Amino acid sequence: MRSSLSLVAVSLAAAVAATGCSRHAANVVTIKPGPDAQKQAQTAMINAKPGTIIEFAEGKFDFNSTLSLEDVNDVTIRGKGRDKTILSFKEQQQGTGGEGLRITSKENVTLEDIAVEDCKGDAVKAQGTDKLICRNVRVEWTGGPKETNGAYGLYPVMCTNVLIENCLVIGASDAGIYVGQSKNIIVRRNTAEKNVAGIEIENSENADVYENTATDNAGGILVFSLPDLPKKDGRNCRVFNNTVIANNHENFAPKGNIVASVPPGTGVMIMANDQVEVFDNKIENNQSAGVAIVSYLINSLPIKDEKYDPYCEAIFVYSNKFTGNGESPAGPLGKILSGLLGTPVPDILYDGIVDEKKLVDGKLPVEMAIRIRDNGDADFANFDAPSLTPANILANKKPNVVRDLKQYEGDLPKLSPVSIAGVK
């Protein structure tokens, strides 16, 4: 009898393994709209065990404080669809947490098929999570773009193995989709509109950003590295097969934010990053520039972080389709560039700021070079930003503008695709 039972147990175990079930039994907790929904939702998050599914029913939920998932792994939070299950934080009170949903679980958290609206601060913030999935999520500030909207829509920071797909983010006063100080990132098939920055990858490593649509933001897709952060640099980012169209919204970021310096009308901007590929994108009708490659030094801000590298190196822009960019450059720099280069300004702009300590015979080493090729009829300018000093401008001293792409021709080693275990 014992032998027979053992065989049954082995057979059942094999059947479970074959179906690919979670290592934890699913425990589904359903939350329905109503006056006790917030208490029920937070209680479910506090009591969650590995394998718990917290399912919000169809309808609108009115919450007045942050929902927090802490210290428990292997949890799914889901609704019935991003237009059917709505978590509204419009009545969020001061002192109750700025985020809509805050996640500090260590690993394996999924958020899907749900909407998060009108948060006073960031809509969904995850910190320190390994394998975070945001799928089919809508984040929106329904009153339209305003400086008082929350800064970030989907906001993983210091995370690893991040997947953000099929999401829609509208109205963030900094970045709609922002991944910061993180590693191993896939951002795909999302739509970002009416944000200051549509999609931003900041101080992060190994990111694939593809098949997204960025439109009607101030800046479409940003790949930045900034000083004074625990993770000092960003590198290994591929931006490809995206549609980056008419990102000409006014920049409504609060004054003092670095993203407030992004000129409205910027399609793709790479700042102080290394090893970035931009290819096979459709970049159209962005009034300031299609692609801008710049150093952090262009902001004329002091740098106190001694370990920070403010330069762009190993940037490869190729096989993109450009149409109708640079027709009406915005912001102070835009006015200078239109006067210097004429309008429309070139599709691809490079500030020409390099780390002179790294030059060999007056050029960056081959592995650090800027490479631009096979972009159809796109035009280009290195506008020699180091010469654009107030004294030179007053003296009408012209910078050494380079429009010929000959010195930028060539290839760089292709970056490897990002892979996340269990994600196709």
Side-chain angles (χ1 to χ4, degrees):
M1 187 69 173
R2 182 178 299 169
S3 177
S4 299
L5 288 174
S6 297
L7 287 172
V8 171
V10 170
S11 299
L12 286 173
V16 170
T19 61
C21 292
S22 169
R23 63 181 181 271
H24 302 291
N27 171 33
V28 180
V29 180
T30 301
I31 312 296
K32 296 181 179 180
D36 294 327
Q38 180 154 341
K39 182 178 179 180
Q40 291 172 5
Q42 187 57 70
T43 299
M45 293 183 187
I46 291 170
N47 293 334
K49 306 295 182 185
T52 294
I53 297 171
I54 300 172
E55 184 173 86
F56 289 86
E58 186 171 337
K60 185 175 182 181
F61 295 78
D62 294 309
F63 295 146
N64 60 22
S65 63
T66 297
L67 295 176
S68 182
L69 179 69
E70 302 177 1
D71 302 326
V72 59
N73 303 326
D74 302 309
V75 173
T76 295
I77 300 171
R78 71 188 185 195
K80 294 296 186 179
R82 70 186 194 188
D83 294 317
K84 295 180 178 180
T85 301
I86 300 169
L87 311 186
S88 174
F89 292 84
K90 194 170 186 177
E91 302 303 321
Q92 199 165 17
Q93 304 297 313
Q94 289 187 345
T96 60
E99 300 94 353
L101 176 61
R102 180 173 59 240
I103 299 167
T104 56
S105 299
K106 296 301 181 185
E107 60 183 16
N108 295 337
V109 175
T110 297
L111 177 69
E112 60 188 2
D113 297 317
I114 204 163
V116 180
E117 293 183 349
D118 297 322
C119 298
K120 293 296 187 286
D122 309 320
V124 179
K125 181 177 181 180
Q127 185 165 355
T129 303
D130 179 25
K131 200 168 186 184
L132 172 75
I133 296 174
C134 295
R135 179 185 292 122
N136 198 33
V137 176
R138 176 173 61 86
V139 172
E140 185 171 0
W141 283 267
T142 60
K146 292 184 293 187
E147 180 180 331
T148 54
N149 289 353
Y152 302 111
L154 299 174
Y155 180 24
V157 62
M158 294 185 174
C159 294
T160 55
N161 297 310
V162 175
L163 173 66
I164 301 175
E165 65 178 357
N166 299 319
C167 296
L168 170 64
V169 185
I170 302 172
S173 66
D174 195 304
I177 297 172
Y178 171 103
V179 186
Q181 302 183 74
S182 296
K183 186 175 182 179
N184 235 46
I185 301 149
I186 298 175
V187 177
R188 66 186 182 191
R189 306 182 192 117
N190 305 285
T191 298
E193 59 186 50
K194 295 182 174 63
N195 308 283
V196 174
I199 298 170
E200 182 173 354
I201 307 297
E202 185 177 286
N203 292 64
S204 291
E205 184 176 350
N206 298 346
D208 273 355
V209 179
Y210 65 93
E211 296 178 10
N212 302 284
T213 297
T215 186
D216 200 20
N217 308 284
I221 299 176
L222 312 183
V223 184
F224 278 15
S225 287
L226 301 180
D228 304 315
L229 295 172
K231 181 171 172 49
K232 297 300 179 184
D233 63 352
R235 62 181 60 249
N236 295 353
C237 179
R238 302 193 309 161
V239 178
F240 62 99
N241 289 339
N242 299 285
T243 300
V244 186
I245 294 182
N247 290 283
N248 302 318
H249 201 287
E250 68 173 314
N251 190 322
F252 56 96
K255 292 181 180 179
N257 288 14
I258 190 65
V259 78
S261 66
V262 174
T266 301
V268 178
M269 178 178 263
I270 305 162
M271 184 168 70
N273 244 253
D274 296 344
Q275 296 171 298
V276 179
E277 287 185 32
V278 179
F279 63 97
D280 290 338
N281 299 285
K282 183 178 182 181
I283 303 173
E284 296 183 352
N285 301 325
N286 302 284
Q287 67 183 12
S288 288
V291 171
I293 305 167
V294 298
S295 164
Y296 182 82
L297 298 173
I298 200 170
N299 296 301
S300 299
L301 297 173
I303 299 174
K304 299 178 182 179
D305 187 341
E306 295 181 355
K307 295 183 179 179
Y308 173 67
D309 179 359
Y311 303 98
C312 275
E313 293 163 356
I315 310 300
F316 194 10
V317 179
Y318 63 96
S319 301
N320 300 283
K321 181 180 178 181
F322 291 88
T323 307
N325 300 291
E327 298 284 351
S328 181
L333 181 59
K335 292 180 180 179
I336 292 172
L337 292 181
S338 60
L340 177 65
L341 305 172
T343 52
V345 301
D347 294 284
I348 305 170
L349 297 174
Y350 172 43
D351 67 1
I353 300 176
V354 298
D355 186 350
E356 295 186 358
K357 296 177 182 178
K358 296 176 183 175
L359 298 181
V360 178
D361 297 327
K363 297 180 180 180
L364 285 171
V366 171
E367 67 275 12
M368 297 181 182
I370 308 300
R371 293 287 184 243
I372 301 169
R373 66 164 175 80
D374 298 335
N375 292 291
D377 296 330
D379 44 8
F380 162 83
N382 174 341
F383 57 87
D384 189 21
S387 296
L388 293 175
T389 63
N392 284 348
I393 293 171
L394 287 173
N396 201 29
K397 184 177 180 180
K398 300 295 184 182
N400 180 28
V401 175
V402 177
R403 296 177 182 265
D404 189 351
L405 275 170
K406 187 174 181 179
Q407 64 181 287
Y408 301 97
E409 292 176 351
D411 292 317
L412 290 171
K414 297 291 181 66
L415 301 176
S416 300
V418 174
S419 63
I420 298 173
V423 173
K424 295 181 179 180

